[in-house]
Amino acid sequence: MGSGDSEMHVLAVDDSSVDRAVIARILRKSKYRVTAVDSAERALEILEMEPSVDMIITDYCMPEMNGYELLRKVKESSELREIPVVIMSSENVPNRITRCLEEGAEDFLIKPVRPSDVSRLCGRVRH
Amino acid sequence: MDLSLLQRTYSDLLSSLFTEGILNQQFTELQQLQDENNPGFVYEVVSLFFDDAGRLINELGSNLNQQVVDYKKIDAHVHQLKGSSASIGAQRIRNVCQGFRDYCEANDPQGCFSCMQQLNQEFLTFKSKLETLFKVEQQIVASGGSVPMIQ
């Protein structure tokens, strides 16, 4: 479950330093505690050390492991599967969106992500 | 310089960036994320973009000059640059990237070289104009004034 702090903890994953800074700022301004990492591999390391993450928001296109693969790993894990995962992508590809939602993604956001996109996720954060 | 003149200069510069299509609404979204707790947010993100884009453009140039051009690799770099430029509202750079991707898909060397030239030019223009904007902003803040937002 959540960390017990009043702030919800969101893990943001994006290999782009620019996008990572933007999504982290949007989330922090919405009063979330944010851990921002630059790869899915690093995200899994964080989740192993600190499974009390209330939501994961990840870019789709990343080198090595992409956002879809991260989603699958989270949903396959008994410890992590309850964590809502939101996918972000700069490309509006219907097959990609369908595939992610069918795999259990909470939502699929088209970049650039706006504060209003994050506001509507608020009710779906695990707590 | 007089504070109100600085603020007018800033407003005019910012307006022209929108009028010329160099920036779009996304930049305004970034400005709205800035507040007294994060007064340098826009400057920080744009600085990240300068570094990121500079690196990507160098790699693109290097990849295009290879004997055998790897269009998939070039497309991957352009995709990244398109994404980050869209995230900060760098509209013209983003638009050049869109065209560049089309030429990559077609494995068109001439088209790619042409886009590379445009990209270099757009990036230099963007960097120069945003650096000027930030200098004026710093002068406004140093004079104790508030930075006007685009209306």
Side-chain angles (χ1 to χ4, degrees), chain B residues 86-121:
Chain B
S87 291
I88 63 158
Q91 180 169 273
R92 293 212 315 224
I93 294 176
R94 186 241 168 244
N95 290 346
V96 173
C97 289
Q98 182 58 60
F100 204 153
R101 292 201 77 192
D102 294 340
Y103 284 120
C104 287
E105 200 176 350
N107 288 3
D108 181 337
Q110 267 188 312
C112 285
F113 271 105
S114 169
C115 284
M116 190 68 232
Q117 283 179 313
Q118 282 180 62
L119 203 48
N120 270 321
Q121 189 52 56

Side-chain angles (χ1 to χ4, degrees), chain B residues 24-106:
Chain B
N24 65 18
Q25 173 64 20
Q26 181 64 16
F27 188 81
T28 309
E29 300 270 351
L30 294 188
Q31 288 183 306
Q32 288 168 353
L33 288 172
Q34 187 161 283
D35 57 24
E36 57 282 352
N37 295 321
N38 280 272
F41 171 69
V42 177
Y43 178 80
E44 284 162 19
V45 174
V46 173
S47 299
L48 282 172
F49 177 75
F50 287 161
D51 292 342
D52 202 46
R55 176 185 56 82
L56 283 167
I57 289 171
N58 278 341
E59 284 187 31
L60 280 169
S62 162
N63 286 325
L64 273 174
N65 284 322
Q66 297 297 312
Q67 282 237 314
V68 178
V69 176
D70 184 345
Y71 289 101
K72 270 187 90 169
K73 199 171 180 180
I74 291 172
D75 182 65
H77 288 326
V78 177
H79 169 73
Q80 257 194 293
L81 183 56
K82 183 182 156 205
S84 56
S85 58
S87 291
I88 63 158
Q91 180 169 273
R92 293 212 315 224
I93 294 176
R94 186 241 168 244
N95 290 346
V96 173
C97 289
Q98 182 58 60
F100 204 153
R101 292 201 77 192
D102 294 340
Y103 284 120
C104 287
E105 200 176 350

Side-chain angles (χ1 to χ4, degrees), chain A residues 57-106:
Chain A
I57 183 162
T58 177
D59 187 27
Y60 183 93
C61 281
M62 293 186 288
E64 308 294 332
M65 191 187 300
N66 67 26
Y68 174 75
E69 288 157 354
L70 173 60
L71 165 68
R72 284 191 69 184
K73 288 232 182 269
V74 167
K75 294 306 168 186
E76 279 165 4
S77 159
S78 52
E79 287 96 11
L80 306 175
R81 71 162 69 104
E82 296 303 317
I83 304 175
V85 180
V86 174
I87 310 286
M88 304 179 285
S89 178
S90 56
E91 295 177 307
N92 192 346
V93 179
N95 285 350
R96 181 183 292 181
I97 297 171
T98 304
R99 202 164 68 124
C100 288
L101 293 175
E102 283 176 352
E103 197 62 41
E106 200 63 35

Side-chain angles (χ1 to χ4, degrees), chain A residues 16 22 24-25 29 36 42 44 49 56 59 70-71 73 81 90 95 100-101 104 113 122 127:
Chain A
S16 161
V22 173
R25 179 70 194 127
K29 198 148 188 198
R42 184 75 187 118
L44 288 170
M49 289 188 298
I56 299 165
D59 187 27
L70 173 60
L71 165 68
K73 288 232 182 269
R81 71 162 69 104
S90 56
N95 285 350
C100 288
L101 293 175
V113 174
C122 166
H127 54 273

